[in-house]
Amino acid sequence: HRLWKTNQKQPKTIASLTMSGTAGKLNEYVSKADATLAEYSSVTQYEKLKELEEKTGVSKVYFFVGFTALFCGLLYLAGGAKLMVDLAGFLYPAYMSFKALDTAETTDDVQWLTYWVVFATFSIIEGTIGFVTGFIPFYYYIKIAFLVWLYHPQFMGATVLYNQAIRPLVLPMLKGNKPTEKKSE
């Protein structure tokens, strides 16, 4: 039975190779998150996070994630999952809608107006059959995924739902029963 010598280099195991790859990926994600925090410095309080990083030596990204988790936890305690989902379905879309109103192009206006039409339709349906939601397991997790799908630029779910479900149902009920064309300003 032979013991390892302390000065002898031990062979790398799969676990150690995986850990070094994971650490590299983590550092890559932290760098990307840091760049995003810097880009939105007024919202993320970047300068204050930078001061904390200098004082403690811990990355400002970790502080931001910690503060965000604490804030979300407090919101959850205050209003539960419904409040969390309602905020996810309102805050970012409202912010982007305000930004869209200040641009000259109309494509973003159409995107966010479509989102609000679908959101309102869903809210009315949900309010009408609200008693059913209690029987659906993980309802609020499903709802938050649905809301993000509606407004995420990669999926544009609100446009899909509007064109395939809401518009064909509502358009025949409108006066004239013909698709309306936008009037030029």
Side-chain angles (χ1 to χ4, degrees):
H1 190 293
R2 195 168 186 186
L3 297 173
W4 287 94
K5 294 181 182 177
T6 55
N7 61 355
Q8 182 181 6
K9 192 172 184 181
Q10 294 183 359
K12 290 193 173 188
T13 63
I14 293 174
S16 66
L17 290 173
T18 305
M19 289 302 286
S20 65
T22 303
K25 280 286 193 189
L26 181 63
N27 287 337
E28 181 183 331
Y29 291 136
V30 167
S31 296
K32 286 181 182 180
D34 195 329
T36 303
L37 290 175
E39 185 178 346
Y40 299 101
S41 60
S42 62
V43 175
T44 61
Q45 298 294 311
Y46 190 77
E47 292 302 319
K48 291 183 180 182
L49 290 172
K50 198 172 179 179
E51 288 175 22
L52 279 171
E53 180 181 47
E54 290 169 0
K55 288 179 182 177
T56 62
V58 176
S59 172
K60 56 190 146 302
V61 173
Y62 296 128
F63 280 114
F64 182 78
V65 169
F67 291 142
T68 303
L70 179 65
F71 180 72
C72 288
L74 291 173
L75 275 177
Y76 185 79
L77 289 174
K82 181 173 178 9
L83 176 63
M84 299 291 291
V85 171
D86 289 345
L87 288 174
F90 177 77
L91 288 178
Y92 177 75
Y95 171 74
M96 293 305 291
S97 296
F98 283 119
K99 281 182 66 173
L101 291 173
D102 288 334
T103 61
E105 64 182 78
T106 60
T107 54
D108 54 356
D109 297 349
V110 171
Q111 174 192 351
W112 292 110
L113 183 59
T114 304
Y115 170 81
W116 290 113
V117 168
V118 173
F119 181 82
T121 303
F122 179 74
S123 295
I124 291 168
I125 292 169
E126 182 187 32
T128 305
I129 59 168
F131 62 90
V132 176
T133 61
F135 298 111
I136 301 172
F138 306 109
Y139 173 74
Y140 289 111
Y141 297 109
I142 295 168
K143 183 178 175 184
I144 200 165
F146 172 71
L147 291 173
V148 171
W149 175 76
L150 286 178
Y151 64 70
H152 195 282
Q154 183 178 349
F155 304 112
M156 303 290 282
T159 304
V160 172
L161 267 181
Y162 176 77
N163 288 331
Q164 293 182 358
I166 297 171
R167 189 169 193 253
L169 289 172
V170 174
L171 198 59
M173 293 180 218
L174 295 176
K175 187 177 179 182
N177 295 334
K178 295 180 186 175
T180 58
E181 293 183 25
K182 284 192 171 187
K183 297 177 184 176
S184 59
E185 292 180 21

